[in-house]
Amino acid sequence: MKAIENVFSGTGGQIDLLNTLYGGSSMTTMDVQREEDRLVITLSAPSVKATAFNVLVEGNKLVIYTLLVSNSHFQEDDNDAEAAIPPRLAVPMFLRVLDIPDFVNADQIEALYEEGKVMVHLPFKNEEQLHRRINIKDLF
């Protein structure tokens, strides 16, 4: 890559990143709805790609976040194997840490991307999982 192309490529990526940080992207909205058999968390950020969303289960917490990743390429030589991996800048745009309720089956949580929105499904446990009788043991 020629030096002048490298400068414009890097500058263009920085301008795009700063534009997004300072008003070029829409704010992420989150909505929670209860359905008959599950909770549905809907996340909407019109200018954010589905690959920017991350959904994690950490113990009894649900972590939802988006990262804006810079696509700038700062390569000096196309033949350099190390330069083939561009440095990236990741900026967090949205973060929510939610407690997973006891009545939700954490093992069955799933996330879907549909029509520009990410939907996180939190299915309810069945009745047998919610209620059980504890037998009292007689030690004497």
Side-chain angles (χ1 to χ4, degrees):
M1 177 182 289
K2 296 180 183 175
I4 193 71
E5 291 174 356
N6 190 16
V7 168
F8 287 124
S9 173
T11 304
Q14 290 174 348
I15 290 171
D16 183 48
L17 179 64
L18 290 173
N19 179 46
T20 302
L21 290 176
Y22 295 104
S25 72
S26 300
M27 186 172 79
T28 302
T29 60
M30 184 175 95
D31 181 50
V32 180
Q33 296 290 321
R34 181 175 185 195
E35 294 182 355
E36 183 177 324
D37 60 342
R38 65 184 171 206
L39 293 173
V40 178
I41 300 172
T42 303
L43 304 164
S44 177
S47 61
V48 178
K49 296 179 182 175
T51 56
F53 285 93
N54 297 277
V55 180
L56 306 171
V57 174
E58 295 284 336
N60 67 341
K61 305 283 186 196
L62 181 68
V63 181
I64 303 170
Y65 65 95
T66 58
L67 291 176
L68 173 67
V69 179
S70 169
N71 292 326
S72 298
H73 295 265
F74 298 102
Q75 299 175 346
E76 291 185 19
D77 185 7
D78 288 337
N79 296 326
D80 186 6
E82 210 171 290
I85 302 171
R88 305 183 118 193
L89 174 64
V91 179
M93 293 180 50
F94 175 82
L95 171 66
R96 293 291 183 278
V97 179
L98 307 167
D99 290 325
I100 298 174
D102 291 336
F103 56 85
V104 167
N105 187 345
D107 294 333
Q108 299 296 315
I109 294 174
E110 63 181 3
L112 309 166
Y113 183 77
E114 183 179 310
E115 298 177 8
K117 296 179 181 181
V118 172
M119 289 167 281
V120 182
H121 294 212
L122 294 90
F124 297 147
K125 292 179 179 177
N126 61 31
E127 287 296 319
E128 290 122 20
Q129 292 174 312
L130 288 176
H131 307 285
R132 67 183 178 100
R133 180 172 177 81
I134 305 296
N135 293 323
I136 301 171
K137 296 179 182 177
D138 188 4
L139 296 179
F140 298 103

